[in-house]
Amino acid sequence: AQTVTQSQPEMSVQEAETVTLSCTYDTSESDYYLFWYKQPPSRQMILVIRQEAYKQQNATENRFSVNFQKAAKSFSLKISDSQLGDAAMYFCAYRQQGAQKLVFGQGTRLTINP
Amino acid sequence: DAGITQSPRYKITETGRQVTLMCHQTWSHSYMFWYRQDLGHGLRLIYYSAAADITDKGEVPDGYVVSRSKTENFPLTLESATRSQTSVYFCASSETSGSQETQYFGPGTRLLVL
């Protein structure tokens, strides 16, 4: 069974600085998708970024980018120019190609210090 | 565009009672999902549905029942609530065509079982 591990329960960063959240996963599949979701205090789950495993290029969405290392099964999220509104729980998730189920990591709570 | 909604948003019930959590989506997505979120576990899949009248178990299905008579609705029933079912419940939906495979989440239902 696939597993997703986020080894950092909590992280903090100064406003305007850069922070990287770690995620590793375990799978025997070669085709899959990886996601980062943000959960602010409102509890809404918001998609931040997604990466297709067959793409070598790292996904980027404005201030959010990923470092996808397929051989190492690592999928970290980098947030540049951190803003107060970035404070939230961040979840890494995996989905196998052809399947619909998401497997989530335990989450990382990100605090932004003004 | 309402997207995906859940009701009620908050529910308090007693052990042994039947509780139904509602989920409605306006996108006509084929797939719908129910997750529960507990501290230290991230989100775990309870049940999912590929289409009307097609449902399947997820990681933690015991104690739950689902149905999908209409594409847009996916209710989750706790037939006899237990304290261990105190959690936050998220409904999600996704479409499968092309690249539209991202799951979109509802706002969540916070359930307390006394």
Side-chain angles (χ1 to χ4, degrees):
Chain A
Q2 294 89 2
T3 59
V4 177
T5 302
Q6 294 177 249
S7 59
Q8 306 154 315
E10 296 183 356
M11 292 280 286
S12 64
V13 65
Q14 290 296 126
E15 190 177 4
E17 294 189 347
T18 296
V19 63
T20 299
L21 308 183
S22 300
C23 173
T24 59
Y25 57 95
D26 186 22
T27 183
S28 59
E29 303 294 327
S30 59
D31 295 326
Y32 49 87
Y33 299 88
L34 296 164
F35 305 83
W36 278 98
Y37 280 89
K38 170 185 177 181
Q39 187 180 45
S42 67
R43 290 271 188 175
Q44 182 80 40
M45 293 288 287
I46 302 166
L47 178 67
V48 175
I49 200 166
R50 61 176 269 165
Q51 173 81 41
E52 292 88 345
Y54 65 85
K55 290 186 177 179
Q56 292 187 343
Q57 186 173 6
N58 289 323
T60 299
E61 288 288 341
N62 300 313
R63 296 182 296 106
F64 298 87
S65 61
V66 299
N67 183 4
F68 173 49
Q69 300 290 328
K70 191 172 184 179
K73 298 179 181 176
S74 171
F75 183 60
S76 61
L77 174 70
K78 185 172 82 171
I79 306 174
S80 304
D81 186 24
S82 298
Q83 300 176 0
L84 295 177
D86 295 333
M89 282 288 287
Y90 285 82
F91 291 94
C92 179
Y94 164 99
R95 193 182 80 240
Q96 182 180 324
Q97 171 72 25
Q100 290 296 319
K101 297 180 285 187
L102 280 173
V103 178
F104 284 87
Q106 304 92 324
T108 297
R109 182 174 301 280
L110 178 64
T111 301
I112 311 296
N113 300 314
Chain B
D1 185 358
I4 184 165
T5 57
Q6 294 182 233
S7 62
R9 295 293 311 279
Y10 303 91
K11 177 72 176 178
I12 300 174
T13 190
E14 295 177 338
T15 301
R17 290 191 180 269
Q18 183 179 81
V19 177
T20 295
L21 309 184
M22 305 300 294
C23 179
H24 176 78
Q25 52 106 354
T26 60
W27 294 308
S28 298
H29 283 170
S30 299
Y31 280 83
M32 295 187 75
F33 308 81
W34 275 106
Y35 294 89
R36 61 177 289 172
Q37 182 179 23
D38 304 292
L39 198 62
H41 288 281
L43 278 77
R44 293 180 292 175
L45 182 65
I46 303 171
Y47 269 96
Y48 68 103
S49 169
D53 298 322
I54 301 175
T55 62
D56 206 350
K57 296 179 179 179
E59 183 184 354
V60 288
D62 293 344
Y64 303 95
V65 175
V66 293
S67 62
R68 186 125 180 250
S69 58
K70 293 183 177 181
T71 301
E72 62 267 30
N73 296 324
F74 190 40
L76 176 74
T77 298
L78 290 66
E79 292 189 303
S80 178
T82 64
R83 289 180 181 171
S84 65
Q85 293 177 309
T86 292
S87 188
V88 181
Y89 291 85
F90 287 95
C91 180
S93 70
S94 71
E95 190 48 84
T96 59
S97 61
S99 62
Q100 301 300 317
E101 297 190 30
T102 299
Q103 288 187 22
Y104 297 93
F105 285 78
T109 294
R110 185 170 295 196
L111 176 67
L112 174 62
V113 183
L114 300 175

